[in-house]
Amino acid sequence: MNNTVITVIGKDTVGIIAKVCTYLAENQVNILDISQTIVQGFFNMMMIVDASQSPKSHTEMADELDALGVEIGVRIRCQKEEIFDKMHRV
């Protein structure tokens, strides 16, 4: 598997989840786990996805999700799961 951690943070607006999920579906990225919360108008979402079937490289996907975030007014970050795990090891 080619698991990736995607985080989305910003002011809550209509359609954030729909736009991110549409991008993922169009690029054959499967959502394995998803969690989202809204706290006092701030949106936070974390996803674990399987990008092994995507025609896009990790770098392409990260850049395009970053651009999508700018377009919809949130910050989207994309990290490979093994790097995320090593960075957050206690």
Side-chain angles (χ1 to χ4, degrees), residues 27-67:
N27 289 284
Q28 292 80 46
V29 177
N30 186 37
I31 299 168
L32 302 173
D33 201 357
I34 183 171
S35 173
Q36 67 93 27
T37 59
I38 300 168
V39 177
Q40 295 184 349
F42 289 95
F43 178 87
N44 183 40
M45 179 170 64
M46 182 173 180
M47 308 169 91
I48 308 294
V49 301
D50 174 8
S52 63
Q53 301 301 311
S54 179
K56 303 277 175 88
S57 72
H58 175 80
T59 302
E60 286 177 295
M61 189 168 73
D63 289 347
E64 290 176 1
L65 283 169
D66 184 52

Side-chain angles (χ1 to χ4, degrees), residues 1-3 5 7 9 18 22-23 30-33 37 46-47 52 54 61 67 69 76-77 79-80 84-85 88 90:
M1 273 218 222
N2 187 13
N3 288 355
V5 177
T7 56
I9 300 171
T22 297
Y23 172 86
N30 186 37
I31 299 168
L32 302 173
D33 201 357
T37 59
M46 182 173 180
M47 308 169 91
S52 63
S54 179
M61 189 168 73
I76 304 176
R77 293 296 171 253
Q79 285 184 292
K80 291 184 178 183
F84 185 88
D85 287 342
H88 295 90
V90 178

